[in-house]
Amino acid sequence: MPKPRSLLRLCASSVAVVGLALASGSSMRAEDARTEKSVNSNGGRYVLHVKEPEGGFVRGKPLSLEVRVTRAGDPSATVPGLGLVVDADMPEHLHGTNRVPRIQRRADGSFLVENLYLHMPGWWELFLDVVESPWTERAQMRVEIE
Amino acid sequence: MTLALPFLFAALAAQVAGAGDVAPKAAEPARRLVDQLDATQVQRILRHGPLEPAPPDPTNRVATSDAAAHLGQRLFYDTRLSLDGNHSCTSCHMTSRAFADGLDLPVPAGASERHSPTILNAVYQRWFFWDGRADSLWSQALQPIENPRELGIGRAGLARLLVEDTRLAAEYRAAFDEAPSAAPEDSDRTAVNAAKAIAAYEARLVSADSAFDRFAAALRAGDLDAAARYPEDALRGLLLFTGRANCRSCHAGPLFSDGEFHTIGMPPKGGGKLRDSGRFRGIELLRADPFRGSGPWSDAPDSERAREVESLVQSPEQWGQVRTPSLRNVARTAPYMSQGQMASLRDVLHYYSTLDGAVAAGHHGEQVLKPLALSDGERADLEAFLRTLDGVDPPAALMKPLPKAR
């Protein structure tokens, strides 16, 4: 049987990632290693640019996200003066988080979300509600916690 | 070869080439099962270990002090902490019973509504008691001292004991660089320090290195021969635990507890509806506790850890929720559940299999569990797995009262 070298490397690297995640979140030093995702709000008014936590979404640790909101069709300019409400639920279990996330609006109009705490493995739905008075428009993203 | 785990290689290769081509050399069934683990299974197993050193508790400045742990050990076994002079912490947290008491509900002074949990590995918890109403080991320890249904000597009584007993006084001085005082304005300080010493002792009551830990370590190291020494039925049980039975969704991480609060619909002792308000009231009690981490007696009231209490959500769905117990040493700590309702692991697994008699916590309650309809074999496998979580006891010197004379 030929040795599938690439497979070997593939699983070696996936183990390395597991190993890093186990080393209590000290993984990935370089800032740009964080994944950024774009999420359209449910009503189509906004695009949310969500910088995921360092080391990704992991269970049982306070997580930090950065969220920048732009108008649909104009991805360059952060919309000023907005509010943001963040919550998370496990739709399959009918319960939410046990801790309230802290949200800070920064000078450049983006948001720093801290203390997002997902205590169980499984499917979490993250709700990011953009408040631009008098409207509130929801964006949501699915997060899988191992 | 650095990181590559041969079995992962084998498992992936098997998917590509067909299992027949990579039939394992070793014929034993455990080895075959180990060889067949896929990457997700391995990843999930490795999330349950190793048990690393517990996170520091900045709210207790003597949490790691030898002198304080010494005093704490002295106090833990001292029956003078009880009103009747017959009980100490170890009456309900017995060294011979993995620091639990083997009873459904504790007898001293009677009428406790909750089962005594083990305090082995309690230092890893974030919230203490079944309802999480204490946020440190030291604030926890003050409660039985205060409670007349448990020990009941009270803070003032404890301060007097520390002043009057010359050896305790000397050991207190060694730990805190000051003399104990029972003056009314000082006795709280003396008692809180004593509780911090008890916490320093409890922090050393760690038990790991179970058969499961050795298996996980072997797996992590890619040593399949060592991994295959893990009993085959336990491995099947572990794969159920992390797979179809989904026990890991609450019994998560190296402690086999997510440290959070859930209801599994366990019928209360004596029948009827749910009476224990659990976490719902636990949060209120914690917020009102003058000895909480963010309170005036804390050594780091502004620390991140102390301030976690401020971000806790309180909601009706928490009615009746209790903290997920750790499953380490579980085979040694029967009976089970927050009122000791279940006599054996067999009973527990029967319950998860059928959810017989389950009570509803309310229409807001979380819904995680479904009857698992486990076969007899699956239950036996799960039990075999749970029995591999017995760890090694702490050093013998910590497992008994300190000698009287020094």
Side-chain angles (χ1 to χ4, degrees):
Chain A
M1 191 185 67
K3 272 200 174 162
R5 282 235 153 254
S6 56
L7 266 181
L8 183 63
R9 216 168 302 128
L10 179 102
C11 59
S13 65
S14 79
V15 167
V17 172
V18 176
L20 279 174
L22 286 168
S24 65
S26 61
S27 46
M28 305 200 194
R29 231 151 288 130
E31 269 208 31
D32 295 337
R34 285 195 285 167
T35 319
E36 186 169 308
K37 269 208 183 110
S38 298
V39 185
N40 297 323
S41 61
N42 300 354
R45 198 182 295 263
Y46 310 104
V47 180
L48 284 74
H49 309 266
V50 181
K51 210 175 244 185
E52 296 194 346
E54 248 182 85
F57 287 98
V58 294
R59 192 195 65 78
K61 288 210 174 75
L63 305 172
S64 306
L65 311 171
E66 283 170 43
V67 182
R68 205 164 56 79
V69 183
T70 59
R71 293 203 193 281
D74 183 9
S76 52
T78 304
V79 187
L82 297 175
L84 184 74
V85 180
V86 177
D87 195 12
D89 267 336
M90 295 196 87
E92 291 172 322
H93 298 168
L94 305 182
H95 68 68
T97 54
N98 293 342
R99 308 201 189 174
V100 188
R102 282 191 301 271
I103 303 167
Q104 239 182 76
R105 190 164 63 202
R106 298 189 293 198
D108 65 358
S110 69
F111 297 90
L112 177 64
V113 181
E114 293 174 300
N115 202 41
L116 177 69
Y117 193 90
L118 310 176
H119 59 283
M120 286 172 96
W123 165 26
W124 287 86
E125 198 69 14
L126 200 58
F127 300 108
L128 305 153
D129 296 345
V130 179
V131 184
E132 185 172 24
S133 215
W135 296 288
T136 297
E137 194 160 304
R138 168 160 290 187
Q140 61 195 83
M141 58 194 274
R142 186 186 175 110
V143 172
E144 290 289 342
I145 298 282
E146 241 315 307
Chain B
M1 189 173 62
T2 49
L3 274 166
L5 298 178
F7 58 89
L8 269 182
F9 166 71
L12 285 174
Q15 283 165 16
V16 173
D21 297 348
V22 285
K25 278 151 260 149
E28 331 99 71
R31 175 62 193 255
R32 198 154 47 224
L33 213 50
V34 166
D35 283 342
Q36 284 168 1
L37 293 174
D38 66 32
T40 305
Q41 286 172 324
V42 170
Q43 191 178 325
R44 289 188 174 176
I45 291 168
L46 295 186
R47 285 190 190 276
H48 291 292
L51 194 61
E52 301 200 338
D57 178 6
T59 70
N60 179 0
R61 68 195 182 289
V62 298
T64 59
S65 143
D66 291 339
H70 186 85
L71 173 64
Q73 184 168 358
R74 185 80 74 194
L75 294 171
F76 190 88
Y77 297 93
D78 196 327
T79 53
R80 290 174 299 176
L81 265 57
S82 64
L83 287 176
D84 66 5
N86 289 325
H87 296 100
S88 65
C89 306
T90 200
S91 305
C92 305
H93 304 290
M94 301 160 71
T95 52
S96 59
R97 293 184 175 274
F99 290 91
D101 60 7
L103 302 168
D104 46 1
L105 299 174
V107 272
S112 173
E113 283 299 311
R114 297 207 184 114
H115 170 70
S116 313
T118 176
I119 54 179
L120 284 174
N121 300 327
V123 63
Y124 287 92
Q125 292 292 351
R126 181 64 201 91
W127 317 109
F128 301 87
F129 290 118
W130 288 98
D131 58 2
R133 67 182 182 278
D135 67 351
S136 69
L137 273 176
W138 62 270
S139 65
Q140 188 287 325
L142 285 167
Q143 298 201 21
I145 288 169
E146 215 56 42
N147 184 349
R149 279 162 35 180
E150 295 188 325
L151 298 177
I153 187 183
R155 299 195 294 283
L158 178 57
R160 264 196 311 279
L161 176 67
L162 285 156
V163 168
E164 285 163 12
D165 183 295
T166 49
R167 187 180 43 220
L168 286 180
E171 289 176 353
Y172 181 100
R173 266 195 306 278
F176 296 102
D177 283 330
E178 64 182 36
S181 165
E185 67 278 16
D186 295 333
S187 61
D188 275 355
R189 177 179 168 77
T190 303
V192 165
N193 278 339
K196 288 176 179 171
I198 293 176
Y201 167 62
E202 291 175 304
R204 297 173 181 211
L205 301 178
V206 167
S207 165
D209 198 22
S210 63
F212 166 78
D213 292 307
R214 291 191 292 277
F215 168 68
L219 210 53
R220 189 170 285 107
D223 182 350
L224 298 194
D225 294 328
R229 266 174 242 137
Y230 192 58
E232 188 203 355
D233 52 353
L235 180 49
R236 281 195 308 262
L238 169 57
L239 292 175
L240 268 171
F241 189 91
T242 56
R244 176 173 94 78
N246 204 21
C247 312
R248 75 181 200 108
S249 73
C250 301
H251 296 281
L255 211 52
F256 295 88
S257 164
D258 59 359
E260 294 290 329
F261 301 81
H262 301 276
T263 165
I264 59 168
M266 181 55 45
K269 198 169 191 67
K273 301 212 168 67
L274 210 55
R275 292 180 292 278
D276 191 331
S277 52
R279 185 55 169 165
F280 185 69
R281 180 111 172 91
I283 291 187
E284 266 167 37
L285 293 170
L286 174 55
R287 290 201 173 126
D289 183 1
F291 302 105
R292 71 190 180 280
S294 58
W297 298 101
S298 164
D299 295 322
D302 293 323
S303 60
E304 190 77 7
R305 184 174 167 94
R307 295 186 51 196
E308 275 175 56
V309 60
E310 291 164 15
S311 71
L312 293 178
V313 174
Q314 192 189 16
S315 77
E317 74 182 35
Q318 289 160 334
W319 182 270
Q321 289 186 350
V322 292
R323 199 191 65 208
T324 310
S326 166
L327 297 179
R328 288 189 173 267
N329 297 299
V330 71
R332 302 199 286 158
T333 56
Y336 302 107
M337 308 300 171
S338 55
Q339 296 189 297
Q341 296 100 311
M342 300 266 126
S344 66
L345 288 175
R346 230 185 134 85
D347 293 351
V348 173
L349 294 168
H350 175 81
Y351 177 75
Y352 280 115
S353 191
T354 59
L355 298 185
D356 268 355
V359 291
H363 59 286
H364 293 299
E366 68 171 353
Q367 294 174 9
V368 183
L369 296 176
K370 301 192 176 54
L372 290 170
L374 300 163
S375 70
D376 291 348
E378 286 176 320
R379 281 186 233 180
D381 289 344
L382 270 168
E383 179 166 345
F385 159 63
L386 292 173
R387 291 187 179 282
T388 66
L389 298 178
D390 282 357
V392 172
D393 271 334
L398 293 176
M399 297 282 289
K400 55 183 185 217
L402 290 170
K404 289 243 152 58
R406 281 200 298 157

